[in-house]
Amino acid sequence: MTGFSIDWLDLREAADRRARNDKLLQQAILWLESAREQTAELSVVDLGAGTGSTLRAFSTAVEPDQKSLSWRLLDQDAGLLAEATSRHGASHRLQTYELDLTDVPALPLEGADLITASALLDLVSADFIDTLAAALQSRCQQKPVGLYAALNYDGITRWTPTHPLDQVVLDAFNRDQRSNKGFGVALGPDAGLYMERMFSSLGFKVFSANSPWMLDGADNQLVDALISGIGDAVAQGSPLAVPDLLGWIRFRKAHLRTGTCEVGHTDLLALPDTV
Ligand SMILES: C[S@@+](CC[C@H](N)C(=O)[O-])C[C@H]1O[C@@H](n2cnc3c(N)ncnc32)[C@H](O)[C@@H]1O
């Protein structure tokens, strides 16, 4: 699994925050608030937490009673977890867990009211979602628990101005998104739809909404890094000739400040059918 740097996560966070579907985020918060009627201590488990971007999105969306809300941040990267603790350890009740998410039965999900993830579940396999969904369904027998999964890449990327190779590059990039990212063959662009079907089939009420990055010249640093990332991903095993790919990258970088880029995502909220 390739590492995710603090710099990259910081670079994307503003675009992520703008992209998150506010209605679904509010609905997830309402779900937590409704759980407060049953329990004094609310508990959220954030999968692949990084430096805590989901915690920040929840904290800026409402002014929740932080004292009765605890966060378990799960990630395999100790450096990212240390950064999350340094940013939020004093203001929030949080515990960090350095672990590999692929071992679903070993995840510390006990007593959770909500499981969250952002920019993660397009990296995982169908098997991982099946196992996670079954674990949540089983937990619901003791205590209802929902899933809020934001920013799942959906395979759509649109640029202005257009370039004749946009579609070929996108096809190659989407193929790479389906390769193994540490969880087996990744769902990539199919993650949103797959989760929707899986959680619905287990009786959860599923809500989903689009949450695209809408990027322009003001996001030029992020778009620059995105183009480089696409170039690296596409360079491996691509049908594109190297000069063509380099030409596409040059064209895209020449329009960093004047062009636009839309990267499609979906957000999903799956709630047990108790409401
Ligand atoms: C794209 S980043 C998203 C981070 C954060 N949720 C955010 O939105 O900024 C994916 C995160 O998942 C973590 N991750 C990826 N595979 C993992 C695994 N097998 N076990 C634990 N964490 C993993 C990475 O370390 C990284 O922090």
Side-chain angles (χ1 to χ4, degrees):
M1 167 83 223
T2 343
F4 294 87
S5 69
I6 293 175
D7 285 351
W8 165 245
L9 296 181
D10 281 350
L11 193 53
R12 57 175 293 165
E13 183 153 340
D16 280 346
R17 182 63 195 90
R18 288 199 308 268
R20 279 178 198 268
N21 184 274
D22 277 331
K23 199 165 156 238
L24 245 60
L25 179 58
Q26 292 297 338
Q27 210 177 335
I29 289 166
L30 277 177
W31 162 258
L32 270 180
E33 290 298 327
S34 70
R36 204 185 281 286
E37 290 159 19
Q38 323 296 328
T39 174
E41 299 281 308
L42 295 178
S43 177
V44 180
V45 177
D46 191 29
L47 310 177
T51 65
S53 116
T54 304
L55 177 156
R56 284 186 286 283
F58 273 67
S59 303
T60 53
V62 284
E63 205 43 59
D65 176 3
Q66 303 293 355
K67 290 201 174 53
S68 61
L69 176 62
S70 70
W71 286 83
R72 284 174 229 162
L73 307 186
L74 280 44
D75 208 288
Q76 67 187 0
D77 187 322
L80 297 180
L81 292 174
E83 183 68 19
T85 302
S86 108
R87 291 185 190 186
H88 304 295
S91 54
H92 290 71
R93 290 180 52 196
L94 62 86
Q95 289 173 289
T96 59
Y97 296 78
E98 183 189 344
L99 49 70
D100 184 352
L101 294 171
T102 57
D103 188 1
V104 175
L107 299 182
L109 306 180
E110 316 72 41
D113 299 288
L114 187 67
I115 311 295
T116 59
S118 64
L120 174 79
L121 294 180
D122 45 24
L123 302 177
V124 309
S125 63
D127 275 356
F128 178 86
I129 296 298
D130 297 354
T131 314
L132 182 68
L136 261 63
Q137 187 192 37
S138 153
R139 294 238 147 253
C140 283
Q141 281 157 21
Q142 282 101 52
K143 186 182 188 192
V145 53
L147 172 78
Y148 167 75
L151 300 161
N152 307 295
Y153 174 61
D154 71 0
I156 295 170
T157 303
R158 296 191 184 101
W159 301 92
T160 67
T162 58
H163 183 282
L165 290 179
D166 284 341
Q167 191 59 47
V168 183
V169 171
L170 180 59
D171 291 345
F173 180 65
N174 286 344
R175 262 196 304 283
D176 174 77
Q177 294 301 290
R178 293 186 168 91
S179 64
N180 189 339
K181 308 289 181 191
F183 294 81
V185 176
L187 282 164
D190 304 323
L193 202 52
Y194 188 86
M195 285 191 279
E196 203 172 326
R197 289 196 183 130
M198 172 50 60
F199 279 90
S200 299
S201 76
L202 295 182
F204 286 79
K205 283 201 286 192
V206 179
F207 307 88
S208 79
N210 293 330
S211 53
W213 276 354
M214 302 297 286
L215 308 175
D216 61 21
D219 305 295
N220 64 82
Q221 283 182 295
L222 174 59
V223 178
D224 193 355
L226 176 68
I227 294 165
S228 298
I230 292 173
D232 290 346
V234 165
Q236 298 153 17
S238 154
L240 272 166
V242 172
D244 288 344
L245 178 57
L246 292 178
W248 181 86
I249 291 171
R250 250 194 323 274
F251 176 86
R252 285 279 151 243
K253 294 210 173 187
H255 292 92
L256 279 177
R257 288 178 188 277
T258 51
T260 65
C261 175
E262 173 183 347
V263 180
H265 303 102
T266 56
D267 292 356
L268 176 138
L269 180 67
L271 298 177
D273 201 0
T274 55
V275 281

PDB file of all heavy atoms in Angstrom, residues 93-123:
ATOM      1  N   ARG A  93     -12.181  13.905  22.759  1.00  0.00           N
ATOM      2  CA  ARG A  93     -11.869  12.624  23.391  1.00  0.00           C
ATOM      3  C   ARG A  93     -11.526  11.661  22.264  1.00  0.00           C
ATOM      4  O   ARG A  93     -12.390  11.270  21.486  1.00  0.00           O
ATOM      5  CB  ARG A  93     -13.095  12.108  24.153  1.00  0.00           C
ATOM      6  CG  ARG A  93     -13.404  12.950  25.389  1.00  0.00           C
ATOM      7  CD  ARG A  93     -14.600  12.415  26.109  1.00  0.00           C
ATOM      8  NE  ARG A  93     -14.448  10.991  26.387  1.00  0.00           N
ATOM      9  CZ  ARG A  93     -15.458  10.202  26.732  1.00  0.00           C
ATOM     10  NH1 ARG A  93     -16.678  10.664  26.799  1.00  0.00           N
ATOM     11  NH2 ARG A  93     -15.245   8.934  26.990  1.00  0.00           N
ATOM     12  N   LEU A  94     -10.262  11.325  22.145  1.00  0.00           N
ATOM     13  CA  LEU A  94      -9.932  10.401  21.061  1.00  0.00           C
ATOM     14  C   LEU A  94      -8.881   9.378  21.478  1.00  0.00           C
ATOM     15  O   LEU A  94      -8.055   9.620  22.349  1.00  0.00           O
ATOM     16  CB  LEU A  94      -9.495  11.140  19.795  1.00  0.00           C
ATOM     17  CG  LEU A  94      -8.264  12.030  19.780  1.00  0.00           C
ATOM     18  CD1 LEU A  94      -7.016  11.213  19.506  1.00  0.00           C
ATOM     19  CD2 LEU A  94      -8.445  13.064  18.672  1.00  0.00           C
ATOM     20  N   GLN A  95      -9.018   8.228  20.866  1.00  0.00           N
ATOM     21  CA  GLN A  95      -8.019   7.164  21.010  1.00  0.00           C
ATOM     22  C   GLN A  95      -7.579   6.812  19.606  1.00  0.00           C
ATOM     23  O   GLN A  95      -8.395   6.801  18.682  1.00  0.00           O
ATOM     24  CB  GLN A  95      -8.642   5.914  21.628  1.00  0.00           C
ATOM     25  CG  GLN A  95      -9.000   6.053  23.085  1.00  0.00           C
ATOM     26  CD  GLN A  95      -9.769   4.805  23.515  1.00  0.00           C
ATOM     27  OE1 GLN A  95     -10.916   4.600  23.116  1.00  0.00           O
ATOM     28  NE2 GLN A  95      -9.138   3.968  24.306  1.00  0.00           N
ATOM     29  N   THR A  96      -6.289   6.519  19.453  1.00  0.00           N
ATOM     30  CA  THR A  96      -5.829   6.099  18.133  1.00  0.00           C
ATOM     31  C   THR A  96      -5.435   4.623  18.184  1.00  0.00           C
ATOM     32  O   THR A  96      -4.988   4.123  19.224  1.00  0.00           O
ATOM     33  CB  THR A  96      -4.619   6.941  17.675  1.00  0.00           C
ATOM     34  OG1 THR A  96      -3.566   6.796  18.619  1.00  0.00           O
ATOM     35  CG2 THR A  96      -4.985   8.403  17.529  1.00  0.00           C
ATOM     36  N   TYR A  97      -5.627   3.952  17.071  1.00  0.00           N
ATOM     37  CA  TYR A  97      -5.308   2.527  16.946  1.00  0.00           C
ATOM     38  C   TYR A  97      -4.491   2.341  15.677  1.00  0.00           C
ATOM     39  O   TYR A  97      -5.009   2.572  14.583  1.00  0.00           O
ATOM     40  CB  TYR A  97      -6.579   1.684  16.834  1.00  0.00           C
ATOM     41  CG  TYR A  97      -7.469   1.710  18.052  1.00  0.00           C
ATOM     42  CD1 TYR A  97      -8.307   2.789  18.310  1.00  0.00           C
ATOM     43  CD2 TYR A  97      -7.479   0.646  18.954  1.00  0.00           C
ATOM     44  CE1 TYR A  97      -9.119   2.816  19.428  1.00  0.00           C
ATOM     45  CE2 TYR A  97      -8.285   0.667  20.081  1.00  0.00           C
ATOM     46  CZ  TYR A  97      -9.095   1.753  20.308  1.00  0.00           C
ATOM     47  OH  TYR A  97      -9.904   1.774  21.423  1.00  0.00           O
ATOM     48  N   GLU A  98      -3.241   1.953  15.849  1.00  0.00           N
ATOM     49  CA  GLU A  98      -2.402   1.674  14.682  1.00  0.00           C
ATOM     50  C   GLU A  98      -2.651   0.219  14.310  1.00  0.00           C
ATOM     51  O   GLU A  98      -2.242  -0.706  15.037  1.00  0.00           O
ATOM     52  CB  GLU A  98      -0.931   1.904  15.034  1.00  0.00           C
ATOM     53  CG  GLU A  98      -0.017   1.692  13.849  1.00  0.00           C
ATOM     54  CD  GLU A  98       1.451   1.702  14.253  1.00  0.00           C
ATOM     55  OE1 GLU A  98       1.786   2.158  15.361  1.00  0.00           O
ATOM     56  OE2 GLU A  98       2.258   1.203  13.453  1.00  0.00           O
ATOM     57  N   LEU A  99      -3.340  -0.008  13.235  1.00  0.00           N
ATOM     58  CA  LEU A  99      -3.687  -1.385  12.856  1.00  0.00           C
ATOM     59  C   LEU A  99      -3.957  -1.492  11.358  1.00  0.00           C
ATOM     60  O   LEU A  99      -4.107  -0.486  10.672  1.00  0.00           O
ATOM     61  CB  LEU A  99      -4.908  -1.876  13.649  1.00  0.00           C
ATOM     62  CG  LEU A  99      -6.145  -0.973  13.725  1.00  0.00           C
ATOM     63  CD1 LEU A  99      -6.867  -0.874  12.423  1.00  0.00           C
ATOM     64  CD2 LEU A  99      -7.097  -1.491  14.789  1.00  0.00           C
ATOM     65  N   ASP A 100      -4.032  -2.740  10.910  1.00  0.00           N
ATOM     66  CA  ASP A 100      -4.363  -3.012   9.516  1.00  0.00           C
ATOM     67  C   ASP A 100      -5.865  -3.286   9.428  1.00  0.00           C
ATOM     68  O   ASP A 100      -6.362  -4.241  10.032  1.00  0.00           O
ATOM     69  CB  ASP A 100      -3.554  -4.224   9.042  1.00  0.00           C
ATOM     70  CG  ASP A 100      -3.760  -4.512   7.568  1.00  0.00           C
ATOM     71  OD1 ASP A 100      -4.644  -3.871   6.950  1.00  0.00           O
ATOM     72  OD2 ASP A 100      -3.053  -5.390   7.047  1.00  0.00           O
ATOM     73  N   LEU A 101      -6.565  -2.461   8.652  1.00  0.00           N
ATOM     74  CA  LEU A 101      -8.025  -2.591   8.570  1.00  0.00           C
ATOM     75  C   LEU A 101      -8.483  -3.900   7.946  1.00  0.00           C
ATOM     76  O   LEU A 101      -9.652  -4.275   8.085  1.00  0.00           O
ATOM     77  CB  LEU A 101      -8.585  -1.440   7.719  1.00  0.00           C
ATOM     78  CG  LEU A 101      -8.458  -0.025   8.278  1.00  0.00           C
ATOM     79  CD1 LEU A 101      -8.848   0.989   7.211  1.00  0.00           C
ATOM     80  CD2 LEU A 101      -9.345   0.144   9.504  1.00  0.00           C
ATOM     81  N   THR A 102      -7.581  -4.569   7.238  1.00  0.00           N
ATOM     82  CA  THR A 102      -8.033  -5.768   6.514  1.00  0.00           C
ATOM     83  C   THR A 102      -8.494  -6.863   7.470  1.00  0.00           C
ATOM     84  O   THR A 102      -9.252  -7.738   7.067  1.00  0.00           O
ATOM     85  CB  THR A 102      -6.924  -6.330   5.592  1.00  0.00           C
ATOM     86  OG1 THR A 102      -5.767  -6.613   6.381  1.00  0.00           O
ATOM     87  CG2 THR A 102      -6.562  -5.338   4.501  1.00  0.00           C
ATOM     88  N   ASP A 103      -8.047  -6.800   8.726  1.00  0.00           N
ATOM     89  CA  ASP A 103      -8.487  -7.803   9.702  1.00  0.00           C
ATOM     90  C   ASP A 103      -9.769  -7.305  10.379  1.00  0.00           C
ATOM     91  O   ASP A 103      -9.759  -6.837  11.524  1.00  0.00           O
ATOM     92  CB  ASP A 103      -7.365  -8.029  10.732  1.00  0.00           C
ATOM     93  CG  ASP A 103      -7.671  -9.199  11.656  1.00  0.00           C
ATOM     94  OD1 ASP A 103      -8.740  -9.838  11.493  1.00  0.00           O
ATOM     95  OD2 ASP A 103      -6.842  -9.459  12.550  1.00  0.00           O
ATOM     96  N   VAL A 104     -10.888  -7.383   9.663  1.00  0.00           N
ATOM     97  CA  VAL A 104     -12.136  -6.777  10.140  1.00  0.00           C
ATOM     98  C   VAL A 104     -12.574  -7.315  11.513  1.00  0.00           C
ATOM     99  O   VAL A 104     -12.954  -6.538  12.387  1.00  0.00           O
ATOM    100  CB  VAL A 104     -13.260  -6.938   9.084  1.00  0.00           C
ATOM    101  CG1 VAL A 104     -14.594  -6.428   9.614  1.00  0.00           C
ATOM    102  CG2 VAL A 104     -12.880  -6.183   7.815  1.00  0.00           C
ATOM    103  N   PRO A 105     -12.503  -8.652  11.750  1.00  0.00           N
ATOM    104  CA  PRO A 105     -12.966  -9.131  13.060  1.00  0.00           C
ATOM    105  C   PRO A 105     -12.173  -8.532  14.228  1.00  0.00           C
ATOM    106  O   PRO A 105     -12.673  -8.468  15.346  1.00  0.00           O
ATOM    107  CB  PRO A 105     -12.752 -10.652  12.982  1.00  0.00           C
ATOM    108  CG  PRO A 105     -12.727 -10.956  11.529  1.00  0.00           C
ATOM    109  CD  PRO A 105     -12.132  -9.751  10.857  1.00  0.00           C
ATOM    110  N   ALA A 106     -10.935  -8.084  13.961  1.00  0.00           N
ATOM    111  CA  ALA A 106     -10.116  -7.535  15.054  1.00  0.00           C
ATOM    112  C   ALA A 106     -10.329  -6.026  15.247  1.00  0.00           C
ATOM    113  O   ALA A 106      -9.729  -5.432  16.144  1.00  0.00           O
ATOM    114  CB  ALA A 106      -8.637  -7.806  14.768  1.00  0.00           C
ATOM    115  N   LEU A 107     -11.178  -5.406  14.431  1.00  0.00           N
ATOM    116  CA  LEU A 107     -11.341  -3.949  14.553  1.00  0.00           C
ATOM    117  C   LEU A 107     -12.093  -3.596  15.838  1.00  0.00           C
ATOM    118  O   LEU A 107     -13.050  -4.297  16.208  1.00  0.00           O
ATOM    119  CB  LEU A 107     -12.106  -3.384  13.345  1.00  0.00           C
ATOM    120  CG  LEU A 107     -11.440  -3.579  11.984  1.00  0.00           C
ATOM    121  CD1 LEU A 107     -12.277  -2.937  10.882  1.00  0.00           C
ATOM    122  CD2 LEU A 107     -10.020  -3.023  11.969  1.00  0.00           C
ATOM    123  N   PRO A 108     -11.687  -2.542  16.519  1.00  0.00           N
ATOM    124  CA  PRO A 108     -12.346  -2.160  17.779  1.00  0.00           C
ATOM    125  C   PRO A 108     -13.662  -1.423  17.523  1.00  0.00           C
ATOM    126  O   PRO A 108     -13.738  -0.202  17.633  1.00  0.00           O
ATOM    127  CB  PRO A 108     -11.304  -1.257  18.444  1.00  0.00           C
ATOM    128  CG  PRO A 108     -10.543  -0.657  17.309  1.00  0.00           C
ATOM    129  CD  PRO A 108     -10.547  -1.661  16.199  1.00  0.00           C
ATOM    130  N   LEU A 109     -14.700  -2.181  17.191  1.00  0.00           N
ATOM    131  CA  LEU A 109     -15.992  -1.573  16.842  1.00  0.00           C
ATOM    132  C   LEU A 109     -16.992  -1.622  17.999  1.00  0.00           C
ATOM    133  O   LEU A 109     -18.109  -1.087  17.874  1.00  0.00           O
ATOM    134  CB  LEU A 109     -16.620  -2.298  15.632  1.00  0.00           C
ATOM    135  CG  LEU A 109     -15.769  -2.418  14.365  1.00  0.00           C
ATOM    136  CD1 LEU A 109     -16.537  -3.161  13.260  1.00  0.00           C
ATOM    137  CD2 LEU A 109     -15.339  -1.045  13.861  1.00  0.00           C
ATOM    138  N   GLU A 110     -16.599  -2.249  19.125  1.00  0.00           N
ATOM    139  CA  GLU A 110     -17.549  -2.460  20.218  1.00  0.00           C
ATOM    140  C   GLU A 110     -18.186  -1.142  20.660  1.00  0.00           C
ATOM    141  O   GLU A 110     -17.485  -0.167  20.920  1.00  0.00           O
ATOM    142  CB  GLU A 110     -16.904  -3.063  21.488  1.00  0.00           C
ATOM    143  CG  GLU A 110     -15.932  -4.191  21.293  1.00  0.00           C
ATOM    144  CD  GLU A 110     -14.613  -3.744  20.697  1.00  0.00           C
ATOM    145  OE1 GLU A 110     -14.080  -2.701  21.076  1.00  0.00           O
ATOM    146  OE2 GLU A 110     -14.141  -4.467  19.791  1.00  0.00           O
ATOM    147  N   GLY A 111     -19.506  -1.194  20.780  1.00  0.00           N
ATOM    148  CA  GLY A 111     -20.240  -0.062  21.351  1.00  0.00           C
ATOM    149  C   GLY A 111     -20.318   1.157  20.447  1.00  0.00           C
ATOM    150  O   GLY A 111     -20.832   2.201  20.853  1.00  0.00           O
ATOM    151  N   ALA A 112     -19.830   1.044  19.203  1.00  0.00           N
ATOM    152  CA  ALA A 112     -19.842   2.220  18.319  1.00  0.00           C
ATOM    153  C   ALA A 112     -21.271   2.560  17.906  1.00  0.00           C
ATOM    154  O   ALA A 112     -22.099   1.680  17.674  1.00  0.00           O
ATOM    155  CB  ALA A 112     -18.996   1.949  17.079  1.00  0.00           C
ATOM    156  N   ASP A 113     -21.546   3.863  17.804  1.00  0.00           N
ATOM    157  CA  ASP A 113     -22.829   4.325  17.281  1.00  0.00           C
ATOM    158  C   ASP A 113     -22.742   4.602  15.789  1.00  0.00           C
ATOM    159  O   ASP A 113     -23.732   4.514  15.076  1.00  0.00           O
ATOM    160  CB  ASP A 113     -23.242   5.622  18.006  1.00  0.00           C
ATOM    161  CG  ASP A 113     -23.394   5.397  19.488  1.00  0.00           C
ATOM    162  OD1 ASP A 113     -24.365   4.741  19.882  1.00  0.00           O
ATOM    163  OD2 ASP A 113     -22.507   5.830  20.259  1.00  0.00           O
ATOM    164  N   LEU A 114     -21.555   4.953  15.346  1.00  0.00           N
ATOM    165  CA  LEU A 114     -21.364   5.274  13.930  1.00  0.00           C
ATOM    166  C   LEU A 114     -19.954   4.888  13.519  1.00  0.00           C
ATOM    167  O   LEU A 114     -18.995   5.155  14.252  1.00  0.00           O
ATOM    168  CB  LEU A 114     -21.566   6.792  13.718  1.00  0.00           C
ATOM    169  CG  LEU A 114     -21.565   7.294  12.283  1.00  0.00           C
ATOM    170  CD1 LEU A 114     -22.778   6.759  11.516  1.00  0.00           C
ATOM    171  CD2 LEU A 114     -21.591   8.842  12.241  1.00  0.00           C
ATOM    172  N   ILE A 115     -19.860   4.243  12.358  1.00  0.00           N
ATOM    173  CA  ILE A 115     -18.551   3.977  11.750  1.00  0.00           C
ATOM    174  C   ILE A 115     -18.411   4.986  10.608  1.00  0.00           C
ATOM    175  O   ILE A 115     -19.359   5.169   9.832  1.00  0.00           O
ATOM    176  CB  ILE A 115     -18.494   2.546  11.150  1.00  0.00           C
ATOM    177  CG1 ILE A 115     -18.986   1.487  12.139  1.00  0.00           C
ATOM    178  CG2 ILE A 115     -17.102   2.229  10.626  1.00  0.00           C
ATOM    179  CD1 ILE A 115     -18.174   1.313  13.357  1.00  0.00           C
ATOM    180  N   THR A 116     -17.268   5.607  10.519  1.00  0.00           N
ATOM    181  CA  THR A 116     -17.069   6.581   9.444  1.00  0.00           C
ATOM    182  C   THR A 116     -15.828   6.216   8.627  1.00  0.00           C
ATOM    183  O   THR A 116     -14.945   5.490   9.094  1.00  0.00           O
ATOM    184  CB  THR A 116     -16.892   8.012  10.010  1.00  0.00           C
ATOM    185  OG1 THR A 116     -15.752   8.030  10.883  1.00  0.00           O
ATOM    186  CG2 THR A 116     -18.111   8.478  10.772  1.00  0.00           C
ATOM    187  N   ALA A 117     -15.793   6.754   7.426  1.00  0.00           N
ATOM    188  CA  ALA A 117     -14.598   6.606   6.575  1.00  0.00           C
ATOM    189  C   ALA A 117     -14.676   7.717   5.544  1.00  0.00           C
ATOM    190  O   ALA A 117     -15.779   8.083   5.122  1.00  0.00           O
ATOM    191  CB  ALA A 117     -14.593   5.255   5.882  1.00  0.00           C
ATOM    192  N   SER A 118     -13.541   8.259   5.171  1.00  0.00           N
ATOM    193  CA  SER A 118     -13.583   9.166   4.023  1.00  0.00           C
ATOM    194  C   SER A 118     -12.369   8.910   3.144  1.00  0.00           C
ATOM    195  O   SER A 118     -11.271   8.630   3.636  1.00  0.00           O
ATOM    196  CB  SER A 118     -13.679  10.637   4.441  1.00  0.00           C
ATOM    197  OG  SER A 118     -12.556  11.046   5.140  1.00  0.00           O
ATOM    198  N   ALA A 119     -12.631   8.983   1.842  1.00  0.00           N
ATOM    199  CA  ALA A 119     -11.592   8.735   0.835  1.00  0.00           C
ATOM    200  C   ALA A 119     -10.888   7.415   1.107  1.00  0.00           C
ATOM    201  O   ALA A 119      -9.677   7.310   0.974  1.00  0.00           O
ATOM    202  CB  ALA A 119     -10.586   9.891   0.812  1.00  0.00           C
ATOM    203  N   LEU A 120     -11.646   6.432   1.514  1.00  0.00           N
ATOM    204  CA  LEU A 120     -11.041   5.127   1.828  1.00  0.00           C
ATOM    205  C   LEU A 120     -11.713   3.980   1.083  1.00  0.00           C
ATOM    206  O   LEU A 120     -11.022   3.105   0.544  1.00  0.00           O
ATOM    207  CB  LEU A 120     -11.143   4.844   3.340  1.00  0.00           C
ATOM    208  CG  LEU A 120     -10.662   3.447   3.734  1.00  0.00           C
ATOM    209  CD1 LEU A 120      -9.137   3.420   3.794  1.00  0.00           C
ATOM    210  CD2 LEU A 120     -11.247   2.991   5.059  1.00  0.00           C
ATOM    211  N   LEU A 121     -13.053   3.973   1.035  1.00  0.00           N
ATOM    212  CA  LEU A 121     -13.701   2.711   0.669  1.00  0.00           C
ATOM    213  C   LEU A 121     -13.672   2.420  -0.835  1.00  0.00           C
ATOM    214  O   LEU A 121     -14.062   1.331  -1.251  1.00  0.00           O
ATOM    215  CB  LEU A 121     -15.113   2.649   1.261  1.00  0.00           C
ATOM    216  CG  LEU A 121     -15.089   2.602   2.807  1.00  0.00           C
ATOM    217  CD1 LEU A 121     -16.493   2.536   3.379  1.00  0.00           C
ATOM    218  CD2 LEU A 121     -14.248   1.443   3.336  1.00  0.00           C
ATOM    219  N   ASP A 122     -13.118   3.341  -1.636  1.00  0.00           N
ATOM    220  CA  ASP A 122     -12.856   2.975  -3.034  1.00  0.00           C
ATOM    221  C   ASP A 122     -11.541   2.210  -3.166  1.00  0.00           C
ATOM    222  O   ASP A 122     -11.229   1.667  -4.218  1.00  0.00           O
ATOM    223  CB  ASP A 122     -12.861   4.213  -3.957  1.00  0.00           C
ATOM    224  CG  ASP A 122     -12.076   5.385  -3.391  1.00  0.00           C
ATOM    225  OD1 ASP A 122     -11.164   5.153  -2.562  1.00  0.00           O
ATOM    226  OD2 ASP A 122     -12.357   6.534  -3.765  1.00  0.00           O
ATOM    227  N   LEU A 123     -10.766   2.167  -2.078  1.00  0.00           N
ATOM    228  CA  LEU A 123      -9.498   1.406  -2.100  1.00  0.00           C
ATOM    229  C   LEU A 123      -9.727  -0.066  -1.765  1.00  0.00           C
ATOM    230  O   LEU A 123      -8.827  -0.886  -1.947  1.00  0.00           O
ATOM    231  CB  LEU A 123      -8.519   1.961  -1.046  1.00  0.00           C
ATOM    232  CG  LEU A 123      -8.111   3.425  -1.115  1.00  0.00           C
ATOM    233  CD1 LEU A 123      -7.196   3.785   0.056  1.00  0.00           C
ATOM    234  CD2 LEU A 123      -7.395   3.703  -2.430  1.00  0.00           C
TER     235      LEU A 123
END
